[in-house]
Amino acid sequence: MDVTLTEVVLRDGLQDEPVLVPVADRIALAGALADAGLTELEAASFVSTQRVPQMAGAEELLAGLPRRAGVRIAGLALNLRGARRAAATRIDRLHLAVSASAGHSAANAGRGVDRALDEISTAFQELPGTLDVLGCVATAFVCPYDGPLAPVRLLSVVRRLHTAGFRKIGLADTLGTAATGHVVRSVGAVREEFPDLELSLHLHNAHGQALQTVDAALGLGVVRFDSSLGGLGGCPFAPGAHGNLATEEIVAHLHGRGLDTGVDEARLAEAGRLLKSVLARAEPLPA
C-alpha cells in the first residue's frame, strides 16, 4: 500500500513562526523537499498579509518555483477573494478551508460557518475544471473555543461540501488534542455516509498520539496525510494549537511498517538542516 504525504511546512509550518522567511529561501526549501521525494507541497496561503505576514509574496513564490515532473504545488484559501488570487497563479491544487466550529470560523475567517461554506462553495463552482480542489475542514474534531465536536456536527459540514460538488476532503485536528478514538468515530461516520469521498487527515500532535491516529486511519482506508518538516506549524487563530505531525516521524513510522512513501530519509534530513539554517537567518516579525 502506498501512502501519500502532503508537506505543509512552507504554509502551515512557517505561518506560526515569529520570522519572515524570504521567498528565495522558501523556493530553496521547496526544492530540497522535492529532492527528498515529496510529491505534494502546500507552498502558500492566499490570505491577508496583515493577519498572517509570514505568507507575504504568495504570487512571487508560485511564479518562482521550478516545475518538476511528478511534483504538485498546492495553495490554501479561505474565501472567494483568496481562491481567485490562487487561480491566477501556477498552482496545481487549491485547498479551500472552512472551520467545522463557529468559534474558530469567527477567529480564523472572520465569518460564521454557513457564510464560509457558501463562499467556498461559490469559489468551487467558479474555479477552472483543470484545477484540483480539496475541501479542508479545520477544527474537525476539537475547537479551542467550542470544545470537542460531535461527529454529527462534522457530518453537517461535510454534507454541505459534498452537495457543492467536493469529492476530496481533508479533516484537520487543528489543536492536535483529539483522541484517536474520537477521530476514528468521526472519520468512520463520514466514510459510512459518503463512501465516494477521498479523505485525508491533517494531524497536529499535542500528546504524541498522532502516529497512533495514523495507524487507526490506515485501518479505515485513509492513505493521505499532511505533515510538516520538523513538526513546525500551528494556527495563529487557534489558542493552544500544537505543532504538526513531523514529516520525519511519519515517514520513519510508515517505512517501519513496510509502507512506501517515496521519501528518501537521508535527503529529508538534509532538507531539515536547510530549514534550521533558513529560520536562523530569517528576519524577526516586526514588534
Side-chain angles (χ1 to χ4, degrees):
M1 172 173 39
D2 292 332
V3 175
T4 300
L5 300 177
T6 297
E7 174 57 60
V8 301
V9 69
L10 293 167
R11 198 278 303 174
D12 194 338
L14 295 183
Q15 77 173 9
D16 209 38
E17 291 296 301
V19 296
L20 297 172
V21 177
V23 167
D25 282 343
R26 284 183 265 167
I27 290 173
L29 275 172
L33 293 165
D35 287 342
L38 287 152
T39 58
E40 303 269 350
L41 305 178
E42 188 184 58
S45 182
F46 297 89
V47 296
S48 167
T49 55
Q50 290 185 333
R51 301 194 77 207
V52 190
Q54 299 93 326
M55 291 294 99
E59 283 83 359
E60 181 186 354
L61 172 65
L62 270 296
L65 282 175
R67 310 305 288 185
R68 300 196 189 191
V71 177
R72 298 202 308 166
I73 305 299
L76 179 138
L78 302 178
N79 51 39
L80 184 58
R81 179 181 180 184
R84 286 171 174 166
R85 284 179 59 198
T89 70
R90 299 169 62 206
I91 62 170
D92 304 301
R93 190 180 216 202
L94 180 59
H95 298 166
L96 286 174
V98 63
S99 302
S101 61
H104 185 258
S105 185
N108 189 56
R111 65 204 69 198
V113 176
D114 285 338
R115 182 181 164 197
L117 280 164
D118 287 342
E119 193 156 347
I120 68 166
S121 296
T122 299
F124 180 81
Q125 299 301 325
E126 182 180 298
L127 291 168
T130 54
L131 184 61
D132 190 22
V133 183
L134 175 75
C136 300
V137 184
T139 57
F141 313 108
V142 181
C143 172
Y145 306 99
D146 303 341
L149 273 72
V152 66
R153 175 59 191 166
L154 175 60
L155 279 171
S156 69
V157 174
V158 173
R159 195 174 295 120
R160 286 280 305 274
L161 293 173
H162 189 270
T163 300
F166 288 85
R167 292 298 179 267
K168 298 177 181 179
I169 292 182
L171 305 178
D173 179 18
T174 305
L175 287 186
T177 59
T180 295
H182 184 169
V183 176
V184 166
R185 286 190 296 275
S186 296
V187 171
V190 172
R191 270 257 182 261
E192 182 176 358
E193 184 167 341
F194 305 103
D196 60 325
L197 285 178
E198 176 186 284
L199 292 180
S200 59
L201 282 180
H202 177 102
L203 301 173
H204 290 245
N205 196 19
H207 306 308
Q209 83 285 8
L211 290 177
Q212 179 182 337
T213 302
V214 167
D215 287 341
L218 288 168
L220 295 173
V222 178
V223 294
R224 300 184 66 92
F225 300 91
D226 293 355
S227 63
S228 177
L229 189 65
L232 266 62
C235 176
F237 309 106
H242 292 257
N244 282 276
L245 174 57
T247 305
E248 301 92 326
E249 291 184 12
I250 189 172
V251 167
H253 179 75
L254 292 171
H255 289 179
R257 289 192 50 174
L259 301 175
D260 181 23
T261 65
V263 177
D264 183 307
E265 292 185 58
R267 291 200 166 188
L268 187 63
E270 291 177 8
R273 289 190 285 273
L274 176 60
L275 174 62
K276 290 179 181 178
S277 174
V278 162
L279 291 175
R281 64 174 178 260
E283 180 182 337
L285 282 175

